[in-house]
Amino acid sequence: MKSIVPAFALASLIAAPSVVMAQQTPPAGSLPLSEVVTKLETDLGGDLSFISDVSWDDDGYWEVEYHTADNREVDIRVDPASGEIRQR
């Protein structure tokens, strides 16, 4: 009689994730989020009405959703180390 243990072990290895989990927080040396937001308020100036959402994206940027003075919704990516806008 053949054992089913090796087959089960092999199936477990195949089903196991083979990639490392993406970083869930900004890397060491990043600006505090409060400084990033302050920089955005300065850089966007009168175009910014309010920031409605900020989240960390696993591609290494802050994703920021803000509304303009004329109530348009804008999504941007912000570099965590410099606070610079990388994509509008």
Short mmCIF file of all heavy atoms in Angstrom, two decimals, residues 6-75:
data_model
loop_
_atom_site.label_atom_id
_atom_site.label_comp_id
_atom_site.label_asym_id
_atom_site.label_seq_id
_atom_site.Cartn_x
_atom_site.Cartn_y
_atom_site.Cartn_z
N PRO A 6 3.52 11.46 1.37
CA PRO A 6 4.35 12.20 0.42
C PRO A 6 3.54 13.01 -0.58
O PRO A 6 3.90 14.14 -0.91
CB PRO A 6 5.18 11.13 -0.27
CG PRO A 6 5.23 10.01 0.71
CD PRO A 6 3.89 10.05 1.40
N ALA A 7 2.44 12.47 -1.05
CA ALA A 7 1.60 13.21 -2.01
C ALA A 7 1.02 14.45 -1.35
O ALA A 7 0.96 15.53 -1.95
CB ALA A 7 0.49 12.32 -2.54
N PHE A 8 0.58 14.32 -0.10
CA PHE A 8 0.03 15.46 0.63
C PHE A 8 1.11 16.52 0.85
O PHE A 8 0.87 17.72 0.67
CB PHE A 8 -0.55 15.00 1.98
CG PHE A 8 -1.09 16.13 2.80
CD1 PHE A 8 -2.30 16.72 2.50
CD2 PHE A 8 -0.35 16.65 3.85
CE1 PHE A 8 -2.79 17.77 3.25
CE2 PHE A 8 -0.83 17.70 4.61
CZ PHE A 8 -2.04 18.27 4.30
N ALA A 9 2.32 16.07 1.21
CA ALA A 9 3.42 17.02 1.43
C ALA A 9 3.75 17.77 0.15
O ALA A 9 3.97 18.98 0.16
CB ALA A 9 4.64 16.28 1.96
N LEU A 10 3.79 17.07 -0.96
CA LEU A 10 4.07 17.69 -2.25
C LEU A 10 2.98 18.71 -2.61
O LEU A 10 3.27 19.82 -3.05
CB LEU A 10 4.20 16.64 -3.34
CG LEU A 10 4.51 17.17 -4.75
CD1 LEU A 10 5.81 17.94 -4.74
CD2 LEU A 10 4.53 16.04 -5.74
N ALA A 11 1.73 18.34 -2.40
CA ALA A 11 0.62 19.26 -2.70
C ALA A 11 0.72 20.51 -1.83
O ALA A 11 0.44 21.62 -2.28
CB ALA A 11 -0.71 18.55 -2.49
N SER A 12 1.12 20.35 -0.58
CA SER A 12 1.26 21.50 0.32
C SER A 12 2.35 22.45 -0.17
O SER A 12 2.20 23.66 -0.10
CB SER A 12 1.58 21.03 1.74
OG SER A 12 0.52 20.29 2.25
N LEU A 13 3.46 21.90 -0.64
CA LEU A 13 4.54 22.74 -1.15
C LEU A 13 4.13 23.50 -2.40
O LEU A 13 4.46 24.66 -2.58
CB LEU A 13 5.77 21.89 -1.44
CG LEU A 13 6.52 21.37 -0.22
CD1 LEU A 13 7.64 20.43 -0.66
CD2 LEU A 13 7.08 22.51 0.60
N ILE A 14 3.39 22.84 -3.26
CA ILE A 14 2.94 23.49 -4.49
C ILE A 14 1.94 24.60 -4.19
O ILE A 14 1.98 25.66 -4.79
CB ILE A 14 2.32 22.45 -5.46
CG1 ILE A 14 3.43 21.52 -5.96
CG2 ILE A 14 1.62 23.13 -6.62
CD1 ILE A 14 2.91 20.32 -6.72
N ALA A 15 1.08 24.39 -3.22
CA ALA A 15 0.06 25.37 -2.88
C ALA A 15 0.60 26.52 -2.05
O ALA A 15 0.00 27.58 -1.99
CB ALA A 15 -1.09 24.69 -2.13
N ALA A 16 1.77 26.33 -1.41
CA ALA A 16 2.33 27.38 -0.54
C ALA A 16 2.76 28.56 -1.38
O ALA A 16 3.27 28.41 -2.48
CB ALA A 16 3.52 26.83 0.23
N PRO A 17 2.56 29.78 -0.87
CA PRO A 17 2.99 30.96 -1.61
C PRO A 17 4.50 30.94 -1.80
O PRO A 17 5.24 30.61 -0.90
CB PRO A 17 2.56 32.13 -0.74
CG PRO A 17 1.88 31.58 0.43
CD PRO A 17 1.92 30.10 0.37
N SER A 18 4.94 31.30 -2.98
CA SER A 18 6.37 31.25 -3.26
C SER A 18 6.99 32.64 -3.35
O SER A 18 8.15 32.76 -3.69
CB SER A 18 6.61 30.51 -4.57
OG SER A 18 5.96 31.17 -5.61
N VAL A 19 6.22 33.66 -3.06
CA VAL A 19 6.76 35.02 -3.09
C VAL A 19 6.76 35.59 -1.69
O VAL A 19 5.96 35.22 -0.84
CB VAL A 19 5.93 35.94 -4.02
CG1 VAL A 19 6.03 35.48 -5.44
CG2 VAL A 19 4.50 36.03 -3.58
N VAL A 20 7.68 36.49 -1.46
CA VAL A 20 7.75 37.17 -0.18
C VAL A 20 6.64 38.21 -0.13
O VAL A 20 6.37 38.89 -1.10
CB VAL A 20 9.13 37.85 -0.02
CG1 VAL A 20 9.22 38.63 1.27
CG2 VAL A 20 10.24 36.81 -0.12
N MET A 21 6.01 38.33 1.03
CA MET A 21 4.96 39.32 1.19
C MET A 21 5.51 40.72 0.94
O MET A 21 6.63 41.03 1.32
CB MET A 21 4.37 39.25 2.61
CG MET A 21 3.60 37.99 2.89
SD MET A 21 2.08 37.90 1.94
CE MET A 21 1.15 39.19 2.71
N ALA A 22 4.73 41.56 0.31
CA ALA A 22 5.13 42.94 0.05
C ALA A 22 5.21 43.71 1.36
O ALA A 22 4.52 43.39 2.31
CB ALA A 22 4.13 43.60 -0.88
N GLN A 23 6.05 44.71 1.37
CA GLN A 23 6.20 45.53 2.57
C GLN A 23 4.89 46.28 2.83
O GLN A 23 4.33 46.88 1.93
CB GLN A 23 7.34 46.51 2.37
CG GLN A 23 7.65 47.30 3.60
CD GLN A 23 8.91 48.13 3.43
OE1 GLN A 23 9.65 47.96 2.48
NE2 GLN A 23 9.14 49.01 4.36
N GLN A 24 4.43 46.24 4.06
CA GLN A 24 3.15 46.85 4.41
C GLN A 24 3.28 48.25 4.98
O GLN A 24 2.29 48.92 5.20
CB GLN A 24 2.41 45.96 5.43
CG GLN A 24 2.11 44.58 4.91
CD GLN A 24 1.15 44.60 3.75
OE1 GLN A 24 0.17 45.32 3.76
NE2 GLN A 24 1.42 43.82 2.73
N THR A 25 4.49 48.69 5.24
CA THR A 25 4.72 50.02 5.79
C THR A 25 5.85 50.70 5.03
O THR A 25 6.66 50.03 4.38
CB THR A 25 5.10 49.94 7.28
OG1 THR A 25 6.28 49.16 7.41
CG2 THR A 25 3.98 49.33 8.11
N PRO A 26 5.94 52.02 5.14
CA PRO A 26 7.03 52.72 4.46
C PRO A 26 8.39 52.24 4.97
O PRO A 26 8.53 51.85 6.12
CB PRO A 26 6.80 54.18 4.82
CG PRO A 26 5.36 54.26 5.19
CD PRO A 26 5.02 52.93 5.79
N PRO A 27 9.41 52.29 4.12
CA PRO A 27 10.74 51.84 4.52
C PRO A 27 11.39 52.78 5.53
O PRO A 27 10.99 53.94 5.66
CB PRO A 27 11.52 51.82 3.21
CG PRO A 27 10.80 52.75 2.31
CD PRO A 27 9.36 52.71 2.73
N ALA A 28 12.39 52.26 6.21
CA ALA A 28 13.15 53.09 7.16
C ALA A 28 13.71 54.30 6.42
O ALA A 28 14.08 54.22 5.25
CB ALA A 28 14.27 52.26 7.77
N GLY A 29 13.75 55.43 7.09
CA GLY A 29 14.25 56.65 6.48
C GLY A 29 13.19 57.47 5.77
O GLY A 29 13.49 58.54 5.26
N SER A 30 11.96 56.98 5.73
CA SER A 30 10.87 57.73 5.10
C SER A 30 10.47 58.90 5.99
O SER A 30 10.64 58.87 7.20
CB SER A 30 9.66 56.83 4.89
OG SER A 30 9.95 55.81 3.98
N LEU A 31 9.93 59.91 5.35
CA LEU A 31 9.39 61.04 6.11
C LEU A 31 8.17 60.59 6.90
O LEU A 31 7.41 59.73 6.43
CB LEU A 31 8.95 62.16 5.16
CG LEU A 31 10.04 62.88 4.37
CD1 LEU A 31 9.40 63.82 3.35
CD2 LEU A 31 10.96 63.64 5.30
N PRO A 32 7.93 61.17 8.07
CA PRO A 32 6.66 60.89 8.76
C PRO A 32 5.50 61.33 7.88
O PRO A 32 5.61 62.31 7.12
CB PRO A 32 6.74 61.75 10.02
CG PRO A 32 8.19 62.05 10.21
CD PRO A 32 8.79 62.07 8.83
N LEU A 33 4.40 60.62 7.95
CA LEU A 33 3.23 60.95 7.13
C LEU A 33 2.79 62.39 7.35
O LEU A 33 2.38 63.06 6.40
CB LEU A 33 2.09 59.97 7.40
CG LEU A 33 0.83 60.17 6.58
CD1 LEU A 33 1.12 60.12 5.08
CD2 LEU A 33 -0.21 59.13 6.96
N SER A 34 2.89 62.88 8.56
CA SER A 34 2.48 64.26 8.84
C SER A 34 3.31 65.26 8.01
O SER A 34 2.77 66.25 7.51
CB SER A 34 2.61 64.58 10.33
OG SER A 34 3.95 64.39 10.76
N GLU A 35 4.60 64.97 7.81
CA GLU A 35 5.44 65.84 6.98
C GLU A 35 5.08 65.72 5.50
O GLU A 35 5.13 66.71 4.77
CB GLU A 35 6.92 65.52 7.19
CG GLU A 35 7.43 65.97 8.55
CD GLU A 35 8.92 65.72 8.73
OE1 GLU A 35 9.67 65.75 7.72
OE2 GLU A 35 9.33 65.48 9.88
N VAL A 36 4.74 64.52 5.08
CA VAL A 36 4.32 64.32 3.68
C VAL A 36 3.06 65.13 3.41
O VAL A 36 2.96 65.83 2.40
CB VAL A 36 4.10 62.82 3.38
CG1 VAL A 36 3.47 62.63 2.01
CG2 VAL A 36 5.42 62.06 3.48
N VAL A 37 2.10 65.07 4.32
CA VAL A 37 0.84 65.80 4.15
C VAL A 37 1.09 67.31 4.15
O VAL A 37 0.56 68.05 3.32
CB VAL A 37 -0.19 65.40 5.23
CG1 VAL A 37 -1.38 66.34 5.24
CG2 VAL A 37 -0.64 63.96 5.01
N THR A 38 1.94 67.79 5.07
CA THR A 38 2.26 69.22 5.12
C THR A 38 2.91 69.67 3.82
O THR A 38 2.58 70.73 3.28
CB THR A 38 3.20 69.51 6.31
OG1 THR A 38 2.52 69.16 7.52
CG2 THR A 38 3.60 70.97 6.37
N LYS A 39 3.82 68.85 3.28
CA LYS A 39 4.45 69.18 2.00
C LYS A 39 3.43 69.24 0.87
O LYS A 39 3.47 70.13 0.03
CB LYS A 39 5.56 68.18 1.69
CG LYS A 39 6.31 68.48 0.41
CD LYS A 39 7.56 67.68 0.31
CE LYS A 39 8.35 67.90 -0.96
NZ LYS A 39 8.15 69.11 -1.70
N LEU A 40 2.50 68.29 0.86
CA LEU A 40 1.45 68.30 -0.17
C LEU A 40 0.61 69.56 -0.07
O LEU A 40 0.26 70.17 -1.08
CB LEU A 40 0.57 67.06 -0.06
CG LEU A 40 1.17 65.76 -0.52
CD1 LEU A 40 0.22 64.60 -0.21
CD2 LEU A 40 1.49 65.80 -2.00
N GLU A 41 0.25 69.94 1.16
CA GLU A 41 -0.56 71.15 1.34
C GLU A 41 0.17 72.37 0.77
O GLU A 41 -0.45 73.23 0.15
CB GLU A 41 -0.87 71.35 2.82
CG GLU A 41 -1.84 70.34 3.36
CD GLU A 41 -2.02 70.42 4.87
OE1 GLU A 41 -1.13 70.93 5.57
OE2 GLU A 41 -3.07 69.95 5.34
N THR A 42 1.48 72.42 0.97
CA THR A 42 2.27 73.53 0.44
C THR A 42 2.40 73.45 -1.08
O THR A 42 2.17 74.44 -1.78
CB THR A 42 3.68 73.53 1.09
OG1 THR A 42 3.54 73.65 2.50
CG2 THR A 42 4.53 74.66 0.55
N ASP A 43 2.77 72.27 -1.58
CA ASP A 43 3.01 72.10 -3.01
C ASP A 43 1.74 72.28 -3.86
O ASP A 43 1.80 72.82 -4.95
CB ASP A 43 3.61 70.73 -3.31
CG ASP A 43 5.03 70.58 -2.76
OD1 ASP A 43 5.62 71.59 -2.32
OD2 ASP A 43 5.53 69.44 -2.78
N LEU A 44 0.62 71.80 -3.35
CA LEU A 44 -0.64 71.89 -4.12
C LEU A 44 -1.31 73.24 -3.97
O LEU A 44 -2.15 73.61 -4.79
CB LEU A 44 -1.58 70.75 -3.73
CG LEU A 44 -1.08 69.35 -4.06
CD1 LEU A 44 -1.99 68.29 -3.45
CD2 LEU A 44 -0.96 69.16 -5.57
N GLY A 45 -0.99 73.95 -2.92
CA GLY A 45 -1.48 75.31 -2.71
C GLY A 45 -2.98 75.46 -2.82
O GLY A 45 -3.74 74.68 -2.25
N GLY A 46 -3.43 76.44 -3.60
CA GLY A 46 -4.84 76.75 -3.74
C GLY A 46 -5.64 75.70 -4.48
O GLY A 46 -6.87 75.73 -4.45
N ASP A 47 -4.97 74.76 -5.14
CA ASP A 47 -5.68 73.70 -5.85
C ASP A 47 -6.26 72.68 -4.88
O ASP A 47 -7.21 71.99 -5.20
CB ASP A 47 -4.75 73.00 -6.84
CG ASP A 47 -5.49 72.08 -7.79
OD1 ASP A 47 -6.58 72.48 -8.26
OD2 ASP A 47 -4.99 70.98 -8.05
N LEU A 48 -5.71 72.60 -3.68
CA LEU A 48 -6.14 71.60 -2.69
C LEU A 48 -7.27 72.13 -1.82
O LEU A 48 -7.14 73.18 -1.19
CB LEU A 48 -4.95 71.21 -1.80
CG LEU A 48 -5.25 70.29 -0.64
CD1 LEU A 48 -5.62 68.89 -1.12
CD2 LEU A 48 -4.04 70.21 0.29
N SER A 49 -8.38 71.40 -1.81
CA SER A 49 -9.46 71.72 -0.89
C SER A 49 -9.33 70.86 0.37
O SER A 49 -9.27 71.37 1.47
CB SER A 49 -10.82 71.49 -1.55
OG SER A 49 -11.86 71.76 -0.66
N PHE A 50 -9.25 69.52 0.18
CA PHE A 50 -9.02 68.62 1.30
C PHE A 50 -8.50 67.28 0.82
O PHE A 50 -8.73 66.88 -0.32
CB PHE A 50 -10.29 68.43 2.15
CG PHE A 50 -11.42 67.73 1.44
CD1 PHE A 50 -11.59 66.35 1.55
CD2 PHE A 50 -12.33 68.44 0.68
CE1 PHE A 50 -12.63 65.71 0.91
CE2 PHE A 50 -13.37 67.81 0.03
CZ PHE A 50 -13.53 66.44 0.14
N ILE A 51 -7.78 66.60 1.71
CA ILE A 51 -7.28 65.25 1.44
C ILE A 51 -8.30 64.29 2.01
O ILE A 51 -8.66 64.36 3.19
CB ILE A 51 -5.89 65.04 2.08
CG1 ILE A 51 -4.87 65.96 1.40
CG2 ILE A 51 -5.47 63.57 1.97
CD1 ILE A 51 -3.50 65.96 2.04
N SER A 52 -8.80 63.39 1.17
CA SER A 52 -9.86 62.47 1.61
C SER A 52 -9.36 61.08 1.96
O SER A 52 -10.01 60.36 2.70
CB SER A 52 -10.96 62.37 0.55
OG SER A 52 -10.41 61.96 -0.68
N ASP A 53 -8.17 60.68 1.44
CA ASP A 53 -7.68 59.34 1.74
C ASP A 53 -6.18 59.27 1.51
O ASP A 53 -5.68 59.84 0.53
CB ASP A 53 -8.38 58.31 0.85
CG ASP A 53 -8.05 56.88 1.22
OD1 ASP A 53 -7.98 56.57 2.43
OD2 ASP A 53 -7.86 56.06 0.31
N VAL A 54 -5.49 58.58 2.41
CA VAL A 54 -4.07 58.30 2.25
C VAL A 54 -3.88 56.84 2.61
O VAL A 54 -4.34 56.39 3.66
CB VAL A 54 -3.20 59.17 3.18
CG1 VAL A 54 -1.73 58.81 3.03
CG2 VAL A 54 -3.42 60.65 2.91
N SER A 55 -3.21 56.10 1.73
CA SER A 55 -2.94 54.69 2.02
C SER A 55 -1.58 54.31 1.47
O SER A 55 -1.08 54.92 0.53
CB SER A 55 -4.04 53.79 1.44
OG SER A 55 -4.10 53.93 0.04
N TRP A 56 -0.99 53.30 2.09
CA TRP A 56 0.31 52.81 1.63
C TRP A 56 0.08 51.76 0.57
O TRP A 56 -0.70 50.83 0.74
CB TRP A 56 1.09 52.21 2.80
CG TRP A 56 2.41 51.68 2.37
CD1 TRP A 56 2.78 50.38 2.28
CD2 TRP A 56 3.54 52.43 1.93
NE1 TRP A 56 4.06 50.27 1.81
CE2 TRP A 56 4.56 51.53 1.58
CE3 TRP A 56 3.79 53.80 1.78
CZ2 TRP A 56 5.80 51.94 1.12
CZ3 TRP A 56 5.03 54.20 1.31
CH2 TRP A 56 6.01 53.27 0.99
N ASP A 57 0.76 51.91 -0.58
CA ASP A 57 0.65 50.94 -1.66
C ASP A 57 1.88 50.06 -1.64
O ASP A 57 2.99 50.53 -1.37
CB ASP A 57 0.53 51.67 -3.00
CG ASP A 57 0.16 50.74 -4.13
OD1 ASP A 57 -0.10 49.55 -3.87
OD2 ASP A 57 0.15 51.20 -5.27
N ASP A 58 1.70 48.79 -1.93
CA ASP A 58 2.82 47.86 -1.86
C ASP A 58 3.85 48.08 -2.96
O ASP A 58 4.88 47.40 -3.00
CB ASP A 58 2.33 46.40 -1.86
CG ASP A 58 1.54 46.03 -3.09
OD1 ASP A 58 1.38 46.87 -3.98
OD2 ASP A 58 1.07 44.89 -3.14
N ASP A 59 3.63 49.04 -3.85
CA ASP A 59 4.64 49.35 -4.86
C ASP A 59 5.63 50.41 -4.36
O ASP A 59 6.50 50.84 -5.10
CB ASP A 59 4.02 49.77 -6.19
CG ASP A 59 3.27 51.07 -6.11
OD1 ASP A 59 3.10 51.63 -5.01
OD2 ASP A 59 2.82 51.56 -7.17
N GLY A 60 5.49 50.82 -3.10
CA GLY A 60 6.47 51.71 -2.49
C GLY A 60 6.13 53.18 -2.45
O GLY A 60 7.01 54.01 -2.26
N TYR A 61 4.86 53.51 -2.62
CA TYR A 61 4.44 54.91 -2.60
C TYR A 61 3.20 55.10 -1.73
O TYR A 61 2.44 54.17 -1.53
CB TYR A 61 4.08 55.38 -4.03
CG TYR A 61 5.26 55.45 -4.94
CD1 TYR A 61 5.61 54.38 -5.75
CD2 TYR A 61 6.04 56.59 -5.00
CE1 TYR A 61 6.70 54.44 -6.60
CE2 TYR A 61 7.14 56.67 -5.84
CZ TYR A 61 7.47 55.59 -6.63
OH TYR A 61 8.55 55.65 -7.45
N TRP A 62 3.05 56.35 -1.25
CA TRP A 62 1.77 56.72 -0.63
C TRP A 62 0.81 56.99 -1.76
O TRP A 62 1.15 57.65 -2.73
CB TRP A 62 1.92 58.00 0.21
CG TRP A 62 2.63 57.82 1.51
CD1 TRP A 62 3.86 58.30 1.84
CD2 TRP A 62 2.15 57.12 2.65
NE1 TRP A 62 4.17 57.94 3.12
CE2 TRP A 62 3.14 57.21 3.64
CE3 TRP A 62 0.99 56.40 2.94
CZ2 TRP A 62 3.00 56.63 4.89
CZ3 TRP A 62 0.86 55.82 4.18
CH2 TRP A 62 1.84 55.95 5.15
N GLU A 63 -0.40 56.47 -1.64
CA GLU A 63 -1.48 56.83 -2.57
C GLU A 63 -2.36 57.84 -1.85
O GLU A 63 -2.85 57.57 -0.76
CB GLU A 63 -2.28 55.59 -2.95
CG GLU A 63 -1.52 54.66 -3.86
CD GLU A 63 -2.39 53.54 -4.41
OE1 GLU A 63 -3.51 53.33 -3.91
OE2 GLU A 63 -1.92 52.88 -5.33
N VAL A 64 -2.52 58.99 -2.46
CA VAL A 64 -3.27 60.09 -1.84
C VAL A 64 -4.42 60.48 -2.76
O VAL A 64 -4.23 60.67 -3.96
CB VAL A 64 -2.35 61.30 -1.60
CG1 VAL A 64 -3.13 62.47 -1.00
CG2 VAL A 64 -1.16 60.92 -0.73
N GLU A 65 -5.58 60.58 -2.16
CA GLU A 65 -6.76 61.06 -2.88
C GLU A 65 -7.12 62.41 -2.26
O GLU A 65 -7.26 62.52 -1.05
CB GLU A 65 -7.91 60.08 -2.72
CG GLU A 65 -9.19 60.53 -3.39
CD GLU A 65 -10.30 59.53 -3.15
OE1 GLU A 65 -10.26 58.44 -3.74
OE2 GLU A 65 -11.20 59.85 -2.35
N TYR A 66 -7.23 63.42 -3.12
CA TYR A 66 -7.62 64.74 -2.60
C TYR A 66 -8.66 65.36 -3.53
O TYR A 66 -8.88 64.90 -4.63
CB TYR A 66 -6.41 65.66 -2.43
CG TYR A 66 -5.77 66.18 -3.69
CD1 TYR A 66 -6.16 67.40 -4.23
CD2 TYR A 66 -4.76 65.48 -4.33
CE1 TYR A 66 -5.57 67.90 -5.38
CE2 TYR A 66 -4.16 65.96 -5.48
CZ TYR A 66 -4.57 67.18 -6.00
OH TYR A 66 -3.99 67.66 -7.15
N HIS A 67 -9.29 66.39 -3.02
CA HIS A 67 -10.30 67.13 -3.79
C HIS A 67 -9.80 68.55 -4.00
O HIS A 67 -9.21 69.15 -3.11
CB HIS A 67 -11.65 67.12 -3.06
CG HIS A 67 -12.26 65.75 -3.02
ND1 HIS A 67 -13.25 65.35 -3.86
CD2 HIS A 67 -11.99 64.67 -2.24
CE1 HIS A 67 -13.58 64.11 -3.61
NE2 HIS A 67 -12.81 63.68 -2.63
N THR A 68 -10.07 69.04 -5.19
CA THR A 68 -9.63 70.38 -5.55
C THR A 68 -10.66 71.41 -5.11
O THR A 68 -11.76 71.07 -4.67
CB THR A 68 -9.43 70.48 -7.08
OG1 THR A 68 -10.71 70.27 -7.70
CG2 THR A 68 -8.43 69.47 -7.58
N ALA A 69 -10.27 72.67 -5.28
CA ALA A 69 -11.18 73.76 -4.91
C ALA A 69 -12.47 73.71 -5.72
O ALA A 69 -13.53 74.12 -5.23
CB ALA A 69 -10.48 75.10 -5.12
N ASP A 70 -12.42 73.18 -6.95
CA ASP A 70 -13.64 73.06 -7.76
C ASP A 70 -14.25 71.65 -7.64
O ASP A 70 -15.01 71.23 -8.49
CB ASP A 70 -13.38 73.44 -9.21
CG ASP A 70 -12.37 72.54 -9.90
OD1 ASP A 70 -11.72 71.72 -9.20
OD2 ASP A 70 -12.21 72.66 -11.12
N ASN A 71 -13.91 70.94 -6.59
CA ASN A 71 -14.48 69.64 -6.18
C ASN A 71 -14.17 68.48 -7.13
O ASN A 71 -14.90 67.51 -7.18
CB ASN A 71 -16.00 69.75 -5.97
CG ASN A 71 -16.49 68.69 -4.99
OD1 ASN A 71 -15.73 68.25 -4.13
ND2 ASN A 71 -17.72 68.26 -5.14
N ARG A 72 -13.05 68.56 -7.86
CA ARG A 72 -12.60 67.40 -8.64
C ARG A 72 -11.86 66.46 -7.70
O ARG A 72 -11.17 66.90 -6.79
CB ARG A 72 -11.65 67.82 -9.77
CG ARG A 72 -12.31 68.52 -10.92
CD ARG A 72 -11.31 68.89 -12.02
NE ARG A 72 -10.29 69.81 -11.49
CZ ARG A 72 -8.99 69.54 -11.40
NH1 ARG A 72 -8.50 68.39 -11.81
NH2 ARG A 72 -8.14 70.43 -10.92
N GLU A 73 -11.98 65.16 -7.94
CA GLU A 73 -11.24 64.16 -7.17
C GLU A 73 -9.96 63.82 -7.93
O GLU A 73 -10.00 63.53 -9.12
CB GLU A 73 -12.09 62.91 -6.99
CG GLU A 73 -11.44 61.87 -6.12
CD GLU A 73 -12.36 60.67 -5.92
OE1 GLU A 73 -13.39 60.82 -5.24
OE2 GLU A 73 -12.04 59.60 -6.48
N VAL A 74 -8.81 63.85 -7.23
CA VAL A 74 -7.52 63.60 -7.86
C VAL A 74 -6.78 62.53 -7.07
O VAL A 74 -6.74 62.59 -5.84
CB VAL A 74 -6.66 64.89 -7.92
CG1 VAL A 74 -5.32 64.62 -8.58
CG2 VAL A 74 -7.41 66.01 -8.62
N ASP A 75 -6.21 61.57 -7.77
CA ASP A 75 -5.39 60.52 -7.15
C ASP A 75 -3.95 60.73 -7.55
O ASP A 75 -3.65 60.90 -8.75
CB ASP A 75 -5.85 59.13 -7.60
CG ASP A 75 -7.24 58.79 -7.12
OD1 ASP A 75 -7.51 59.01 -5.93
OD2 ASP A 75 -8.04 58.31 -7.93
#
